[in-house]
Amino acid sequence: MNPKTHIPIFFIALILTLNSINGTFTPQDNFLLNCGGNSALKLEDGRIFQPDKNPGSSSFFLLTPASHNVVYSDTKPLDLYGSARVFTQATDYSFKIQQKGRHFLRLHFYPVSSPIYNLKDATFTVGANGFTFLYDFSYSKLGLDQSVVLKEYIVDLGLDSKPLVVNLVPSSGSIAFVNGIEVISLPDRVFPATGSSISENEPVEISGNIAFETLHRINMGGPYVSSKNDGLWRDWKPDGKFLINSASAIAISTDPDSIKYSSRVSVDTAPNLVYATAQEMADANVGNQRFNISWVFDVDSGFRYLIRLHFCDILSHNVGNLLFNVYINNQSALSSFDISHKANGLSTACFVDFIVEVQIEKILIQIGPPQITSSLPNAILNGLEILKFSNSKGSLDRSQGENPIGVKVKKDKNKNNLLAIVIVSFLGGAILLAILIAAFVLYFRHRKKTRDESGGSTWLPSPMAVHTHTGNSETKISLGSFASSGPSLSFSRLLAFMEIKEATKNFDESLVLGVGGFGKVYKGVLENGLVVAVKRGNPGSQQGLIEFRTEIEMLSKLRHRHLVSLIGFCHEPNEMVLVYDFMAGGPLRRHLYGSNLPCLSWKQRLEICIGAAKGLHYLHTGAEETIIHRDVKTTNILLDENLTAKVSDFGLSKLGPTVDQTHVSTAVKGSFGYLDPEYFRRQQLTEKSDVYSFGVVLLEVLCARPAINPSLPREQINIVEWAMSWQKKGQLERAIDPHLVGTVSLNSLRKFGEAAEKCLADYGAERPTMGDVLWNLEYALQLQESFMKNVGDESSMNEIKDIPDWIQEIGDSNHDSFSVVSSGTDVPTSRVFSQLMDPRGR
Ligand SMILES: *[C@@H]1O[C@H](CO)[C@@H](O)[C@H](O)[C@H]1NC(C)=O
Ligand SMILES: *[C@@H]1O[C@H](CO)[C@@H](O)[C@H](O)[C@H]1NC(C)=O
């Protein structure tokens, strides 16, 4: 089980429980039968199912022959599945239809236990208007245990609205039964009627002589959406169990109210709850990212399927940035697909239909980045429907399957015996021409875009990628010059000690940026003008050459927008030097307190936290092995000149010779306020220790004060205790940085507070993954952004207005020296720390 697929979608879950969504469409035919029931039954979704007994001639349906065998359940009498009508002979339900065209027919089966009838083993055939839905069906054959079977079919009743006649025919010597029937006319736009005009953007034209069965209806990256939340009373299942590798995807979501529909797509196509969530590629910000997210669905072989892919770009900030490929059963279905172009905007719903014919019992859906992208490689999918076509015998039952006929099939090029027929193959030549033209247009558009964007890109997903420093000519280097001095290692290069000596003016003390466990850090300028941070190992440091080398190799392979890049290294006798990108903005802490730097806005703070969370998430999950940072704190999150956050000092912790020693060294470093209490108790290091420390960072960002500030009153010394006491009272706003007052959306703050609180859970197992944290922070950012949009029209009353007067002025206490390096153990072991110091504590 991968926790990523269980990201709590709080907001959407809340909507799901609070209100039901009403579609724009009111079906003209909407017949709901509670079969065998005595009275009208109101379901949870608000719909009322009428009993199916004694239908008079004026009734909307007719039962022939009128049968009165019914069974009731003692246990669930008030439920659709509390009763069933039982048939000992072939029986028809005939519905008087008013609306022409396609209708949903939903059949509910549940074997109510009865002393007289054995419904579990009842074997029967179900059909309607010449189609066979179920042939020799029996509940027991399905191998289900106590679950309801809900079958959904789509039948076209043609232009003259003939009655819909549902037949239930017991197999010889057996009986038939049904618990509930729904007949609902479909809006045209969900399924175009025969003869609808078709263009690339429209649903496929399908002859009315086909019935469909819904096999899968999936809400990617989101929760179960029940009939209550769908205007056509459909249900949408989560995709988790269909993902081949759940670690390859991350669920994302947005405010469902922000989803826009175009004229061609409406809530009848799929509710906004479906479009508001998606799966995206995990670690999508990693360079060289080349993989697909793959889902596999069970289907019956020998049938044709309509595959509807629902897309909505809830991810990008600009149109045309998200291009990806879609494959169906290993064949390319969409190439460099651009949702925002197709949908005509961001956060706008659209869908694409494919028809495939399969000769194996699987449908494999894959999305992945194209070979070449002008932006970060990523891919998303919001929803999916797989509908089975009735075959030439008019059957939807697998036992009446057949070899494919009736469709022109492309040459079966390979042994894997599958045939994906893109719709194009049976639309006329005119459409082909239109697509060719469209392809040309797209091609040129894409080329233009590539050219436009390459200049400003700060991240090039190529193996030789380097961060180019735009906007500061002094530090600018060209990709070419860097690449040509390229080394054997993937990103970093070997530097001569002389070169480094020159760069740092022979390790001039005035250039010292800081001191870390490894040694001193100097600012330097390489020969090519690149400004760097040079970390020089303490001469006589216990770190052996081999570990040093291993470390360089590992760090060289780590490359991420939110990690400080190792750009070079030097190892010569008695000298071990690492050279990193210089981060002009310096440590995050300096931007929060204790300096005269301008105050960061809440949005900037959120973006910085999101950046750092991405970096940590990558360390935890992006590389071959999990890398635990082990010293997450505001001084180890550096900012570049654009305030992009980059995690630094990662991996160095792994240099520690033994677990014990690394543990000790952490303690000596004195980052007490950040330490995971569980790590202290059990001395077991996991990535959840980083999550805890990150929770402390979040609080520091919010409150703009050190993690531990001994100069404050007792209850305020430890930021976690202090802020969490407000959080638990639901008044976190009382702890925030006074500079933020009046500019923060209360909703955003709430989300942020929740995220921090979860990170700070006592036990690692209860803490979220960095992926989950990231999701929550991104959500908090969205809330803040929409708040900022509304600010100005006086309607937004939910920002924080009062300056909390109980926040102590943060004086110039010597907290910095306290929480950074202290070689000795001059850390006061007051009672505040005693719980941390005692491994058996709590
Ligand atoms: C797709 O290709 C893979 C690898 O070649 C193969 O194992 C799999 O069976 C194929 N899937 C389908 C649906 O054809
Ligand atoms: C994604 O899947 C398709 C079809 O199976 C395959 O051709 C392609 O190489 C895959 N892409 C990556 C990046 O693995």
Side-chain angles (χ1 to χ4, degrees):
M1 190 184 80
N2 189 300
K4 278 182 201 160
T5 56
H6 299 278
I7 287 174
I9 314 249
F10 307 103
F11 188 71
I12 288 177
L14 191 68
I15 292 179
L16 288 175
T17 53
L18 287 186
N19 47 324
S20 54
I21 307 264
N22 299 314
T24 52
F25 170 78
T26 311
Q28 205 173 355
D29 297 321
N30 192 357
F31 308 128
L32 309 172
L33 286 185
N34 173 17
C35 300
N38 273 323
S39 55
L41 181 72
K42 187 166 179 183
L43 293 199
E44 207 230 332
D45 61 18
R47 293 185 297 162
I48 296 170
F49 282 63
Q50 300 295 340
D52 69 340
K53 61 179 177 184
N54 303 326
S57 59
S58 64
S59 169
F60 60 82
F61 79 100
L62 207 61
L63 186 57
T64 44
S67 164
H68 296 283
N69 301 309
V70 292
V71 292
Y72 299 103
S73 153
D74 311 330
T75 49
K76 36 165 77 177
L78 294 176
D79 184 299
L80 197 52
Y81 308 108
S83 67
R85 187 165 294 275
V86 178
F87 312 99
T88 53
Q89 55 185 313
T91 304
D92 293 343
Y93 281 91
S94 172
F95 294 90
K96 289 182 195 159
I97 296 296
Q98 295 176 24
Q99 175 79 41
K100 58 188 188 315
R102 290 202 162 83
H103 287 66
F104 273 134
L105 171 65
R106 299 200 183 103
L107 302 173
H108 299 254
F109 298 103
Y110 179 79
V112 182
S113 65
S114 147
I116 309 166
Y117 300 111
N118 175 2
L119 299 192
K120 266 200 173 130
D121 292 324
T123 307
F124 53 100
T125 293
V126 184
N129 291 29
F131 294 104
T132 308
F133 300 147
L134 296 165
Y135 184 79
D136 271 348
F137 165 82
S138 97
Y139 185 90
S140 60
K141 268 195 249 163
L142 300 175
L144 299 170
D145 189 36
Q146 297 298 308
S147 59
V148 163
V149 175
L150 171 55
K151 292 280 187 181
E152 182 183 279
Y153 302 97
I154 296 166
V155 188
D156 192 342
L157 298 173
L159 298 170
D160 50 357
S161 53
K162 35 182 192 267
L164 174 65
V165 183
V166 179
N167 344 97
L168 292 118
V169 184
S171 302
S172 67
S174 193
I175 51 170
F177 73 94
V178 65
N179 307 67
I181 303 179
E182 302 173 32
V183 175
I184 298 165
S185 50
L186 270 175
D188 277 351
R189 66 173 85 207
V190 172
F191 253 97
T194 308
S196 284
S197 73
I198 303 169
S199 79
E200 188 202 358
N201 294 331
E202 292 271 322
V204 185
E205 183 180 17
I206 299 148
S207 108
N209 243 343
I210 305 277
F212 295 91
E213 176 183 354
T214 308
L215 287 200
H216 300 282
R217 184 174 281 134
I218 310 292
N219 178 21
M220 262 70 189
Y224 175 66
V225 175
S226 72
S227 58
K228 183 176 156 190
N229 297 104
D230 183 296
L232 292 169
W233 303 282
R234 294 166 293 207
D235 64 341
W236 301 76
K237 302 205 167 66
D239 67 319
K241 70 172 188 174
F242 304 102
L243 267 173
I244 291 180
N245 174 4
S246 56
S248 64
I250 294 186
I252 53 169
S253 69
T254 188
D255 178 358
D257 286 339
S258 69
I259 301 300
K260 298 187 277 279
Y261 288 97
S262 66
S263 57
R264 294 189 202 97
V265 185
S266 74
V267 288
D268 302 329
T269 316
N272 57 1
L273 291 164
V274 170
Y275 288 113
T277 66
Q279 294 282 14
E280 71 162 322
M281 292 175 66
D283 310 311
N285 291 334
V286 180
N288 290 328
Q289 168 154 317
R290 291 283 167 256
F291 62 86
N292 292 318
I293 307 178
S294 308
W295 293 266
V296 66
F297 299 90
D298 288 334
V299 297
D300 296 326
S301 64
F303 285 87
R304 269 197 293 159
Y305 293 90
L306 174 66
I307 297 176
R308 176 166 290 185
L309 303 158
H310 294 274
F311 296 106
C312 181
D313 187 350
I314 57 173
L315 181 78
S316 304
H317 295 295
N318 298 306
V319 297
N321 265 1
L322 179 61
L323 295 178
F324 57 92
N325 295 341
V326 179
Y327 307 91
I328 297 175
N329 277 356
N330 290 341
Q331 302 203 356
S332 174
L334 292 168
S335 162
S336 290
F337 178 62
D338 177 351
I339 302 176
S340 57
H341 179 242
K342 163 93 186 164
N344 234 328
L346 297 175
S347 298
T348 308
C350 69
F351 64 87
V352 185
D353 285 332
F354 290 97
I355 293 177
V356 301
E357 175 143 5
V358 296
Q359 296 304 317
I360 56 172
E361 305 208 321
K362 303 264 178 242
I363 287 182
L364 178 66
I365 307 286
Q366 292 173 294
I367 58 173
Q371 276 303 312
I372 296 159
T373 43
S374 56
S375 49
L376 296 174
N378 204 345
I380 69 169
L381 182 60
N382 305 64
L384 174 75
E385 291 173 273
I386 298 181
L387 306 185
K388 185 199 224 177
F389 280 62
S390 60
N391 62 20
S392 64
K393 297 171 189 159
S395 180
L396 281 158
D397 193 291
R398 63 195 298 174
S399 64
Q400 295 188 314
E402 56 182 357
N403 289 329
I405 48 167
V407 195
K408 267 255 220 50
V409 158
K410 276 195 189 154
K411 264 183 278 145
D412 187 2
K413 280 192 291 222
N414 44 27
K415 59 218 169 291
N416 67 8
N417 202 19
L418 77 98
L419 310 156
I421 306 150
V422 179
I423 323 165
V424 174
S425 68
F426 63 75
L427 303 182
I431 302 264
L432 195 65
L433 189 68
I435 286 167
L436 278 175
I437 292 167
F440 260 98
V441 171
L442 268 176
Y443 173 68
F444 283 109
R445 204 173 147 264
H446 182 70
R447 271 194 17 167
K448 181 164 178 292
K449 195 159 53 213
T450 313
R451 240 181 307 148
D452 289 347
E453 284 173 7
S454 56
S457 172
T458 53
W459 174 248
L460 305 159
S462 82
M464 290 311 295
V466 293
H467 291 277
T468 55
H469 295 237
T470 54
N472 182 344
S473 58
E474 232 191 317
T475 60
K476 194 163 189 163
I477 57 161
S478 84
L479 183 61
S481 74
F482 194 78
S484 60
S485 61
S488 53
L489 287 166
S490 46
F491 295 109
S492 319
R493 62 179 178 133
L494 187 59
L495 295 159
F497 187 63
M498 273 310 293
E499 222 177 315
I500 290 164
K501 237 171 132 176
E502 266 165 42
T504 57
K505 300 190 181 147
N506 197 14
F507 301 103
D508 191 316
E509 284 297 309
S510 71
L511 293 175
V512 172
L513 294 167
V515 187
F518 183 77
K520 282 185 182 164
V521 185
Y522 301 81
K523 184 176 176 178
V525 183
L526 293 183
E527 219 175 16
N528 61 12
L530 185 65
V531 183
V532 292
V534 176
K535 206 173 254 186
R536 185 187 191 189
N538 288 327
S541 139
Q542 13 172 334
Q543 288 153 353
L545 206 63
I546 295 170
E547 283 99 341
F548 179 76
R549 174 83 197 171
T550 318
E551 197 57 31
I552 289 167
E553 278 173 10
M554 187 181 78
L555 295 186
S556 303
K557 282 183 216 134
L558 290 173
R559 189 116 313 206
H560 189 274
R561 184 172 151 75
H562 295 289
L563 297 180
V564 171
S565 315
L566 179 71
I567 58 173
F569 56 91
C570 152
H571 65 103
E572 287 178 13
N574 301 319
E575 284 297 345
M576 291 175 286
V577 181
L578 297 173
V579 179
Y580 296 91
D581 254 352
F582 176 69
M583 292 291 120
L588 168 60
R589 175 174 301 175
R590 255 207 262 150
H591 295 258
L592 296 172
Y593 50 85
S595 79
N596 297 325
L597 291 171
C599 178
L600 296 172
S601 72
W602 181 235
K603 181 166 181 269
Q604 285 172 320
R605 294 183 203 205
L606 286 171
E607 282 164 351
I608 288 166
C609 291
I610 287 169
K614 283 182 178 165
L616 287 173
H617 180 54
Y618 173 69
L619 280 183
H620 290 174
T621 61
E624 279 153 43
E625 47 186 333
T626 299
I627 298 167
I628 301 167
H629 186 292
R630 241 206 35 183
D631 200 13
V632 176
K633 52 183 180 182
T634 44
T635 44
N636 278 341
I637 295 169
L638 304 184
L639 304 180
D640 71 5
E641 65 278 13
N642 301 317
L643 296 181
T644 304
K646 294 180 195 250
V647 176
S648 75
D649 255 3
F650 47 90
L652 283 183
S653 50
K654 292 191 77 177
L655 287 170
T658 69
V659 172
D660 273 355
Q661 264 174 303
T662 61
H663 166 243
V664 168
S665 80
T666 305
V668 169
K669 259 172 142 188
S671 314
F672 272 114
Y674 295 91
L675 265 187
D676 170 9
E678 193 180 37
Y679 172 36
F680 247 94
R681 277 198 302 271
R682 305 184 36 204
Q683 317 239 327
Q684 269 176 18
L685 192 64
T686 71
E687 67 268 29
K688 294 296 181 68
S689 301
D690 283 352
V691 174
Y692 182 92
S693 307
F694 190 70
V696 180
V697 167
L698 293 180
L699 294 184
E700 234 180 299
V701 167
L702 178 71
C703 310
R705 52 152 285 185
I708 302 284
N709 186 350
S711 67
L712 289 172
R714 261 276 299 285
E715 68 281 5
Q716 298 185 19
I717 291 181
N718 184 326
I719 197 172
V720 174
E721 287 174 10
W722 177 64
M724 281 303 112
S725 69
W726 286 119
Q727 165 71 10
K728 296 214 165 80
K729 288 180 218 154
Q731 295 182 307
L732 188 58
E733 58 273 25
R734 295 196 167 204
I736 70 170
D737 180 358
H739 293 106
L740 293 175
V741 168
T743 65
V744 176
S745 141
L746 201 50
N747 291 335
S748 174
L749 177 69
R750 294 267 175 273
K751 193 89 230 161
F752 188 88
E754 271 170 31
E757 187 176 9
K758 288 198 198 106
C759 290
L760 295 168
D762 256 353
Y763 296 96
E766 293 165 3
R767 293 176 207 144
T769 62
M770 280 315 296
D772 295 344
V773 178
L774 183 54
W775 185 89
N776 279 291
L777 292 175
E778 282 179 336
Y779 193 54
L781 177 61
Q782 282 172 19
L783 291 170
Q784 177 68 12
E785 280 171 345
S786 56
F787 163 80
M788 283 158 67
K789 260 184 244 150
N790 296 333
V791 166
D793 62 64
E794 295 295 313
S795 62
S796 44
M797 299 302 288
N798 67 342
E799 87 266 34
I800 300 147
K801 288 218 174 77
D802 306 326
I803 295 191
D805 53 3
W806 46 84
I807 288 189
Q808 294 273 323
E809 199 53 43
I810 289 145
D812 202 11
S813 66
N814 58 349
H815 46 72
D816 247 325
S817 64
F818 173 78
S819 48
V820 188
V821 188
S822 61
S823 44
T825 43
D826 53 343
V827 175
T829 48
S830 72
R831 264 192 289 165
V832 178
F833 305 116
S834 55
Q835 54 167 356
L836 291 178
M837 300 300 282
D838 179 3
R840 295 174 313 269
R842 287 209 261 187

